[in-house]
Amino acid sequence: MQIHNLKRETANKKKIQVGRGAKRGKTSGRGTKGQNARAGHKKRPEMRDIIKKIPKLRGRGKNSLHSIQADAVAVNLNLLSVFKAGETVTPKTLAESGVITMYKGRYPRVKILSTGDISTKLNFANCEVSAGAKAKIEQVGGTIKG
């Protein structure tokens, strides 16, 4: 074997290029001059200013103390004269008789209030009843369920 037949096992190392900040020459890949060419450059993020101007959305806003549930529809005793003695009064029968209307395709919650008088015996189901109305209904012989 002669010296001119020898081959390296590893390739030659690349020449290290001179330049400030990296293995590049002159401007070291930073372009020319300006804020971006300087060491420690930091641009203020523009999106941050835009985001900071948008109001924060927290909770349910100014109406946070209002209930999400729809209010009960108030029905006075004097409106129940359309029912005959012994009939059952429910939100469905009240809507069918035209005393109340459906709300968003559903029968609303109903609360019976004591305004007016009741003379017929009626049975109430799935209705909230005030204390005064309950006394008047039971005085005539009516019943209240759930």
Side-chain angles (χ1 to χ4, degrees):
M1 181 178 300
Q2 296 177 347
I3 216 160
H4 67 275
N5 290 335
L6 293 177
K7 288 194 175 179
R8 290 177 167 272
E9 287 187 15
T10 57
N12 283 340
K13 285 186 178 180
K14 281 196 169 184
K15 184 182 175 188
I16 296 173
Q17 297 174 332
V18 179
R20 304 292 178 267
K23 295 180 181 178
R24 306 182 196 294
K26 197 181 173 240
T27 52
S28 308
R30 288 176 176 268
T32 48
K33 301 183 183 175
Q35 184 178 6
N36 293 337
R38 307 293 185 237
H41 75 88
K42 284 189 179 134
K43 276 191 173 175
R44 182 178 175 83
E46 293 173 30
M47 276 306 294
R48 183 177 185 277
D49 294 339
I50 296 166
I51 291 166
K52 291 290 279 183
K53 287 177 185 174
I54 298 170
K56 294 175 183 175
L57 301 175
R58 291 181 172 151
R60 287 173 30 219
K62 63 182 180 181
N63 298 321
S64 62
L65 297 177
H66 293 193
S67 176
I68 294 171
Q69 188 176 22
D71 292 334
V73 176
V75 177
N76 293 321
L77 286 175
N78 57 3
L79 297 175
L80 300 178
S81 58
V82 294
F83 292 99
K84 296 179 181 124
E87 282 189 332
T88 304
V89 178
T90 62
K92 185 177 180 182
T93 57
L94 285 167
E96 288 170 356
S97 65
V99 177
I100 62 170
T101 57
M102 292 181 74
Y103 177 72
K104 293 185 177 180
R106 296 180 181 171
Y107 298 112
R109 287 176 32 230
V110 175
K111 182 155 186 176
I112 308 297
L113 303 179
S114 64
T115 306
D117 290 319
I118 185 169
S119 57
T120 55
K121 176 185 171 185
L122 296 173
N123 302 318
F124 292 86
N126 300 329
C127 295
E128 299 170 24
V129 182
S130 69
K134 185 176 181 180
K136 288 182 180 180
I137 291 165
E138 290 175 346
Q139 185 180 352
V140 188
T143 59
I144 300 164
K145 293 180 184 173

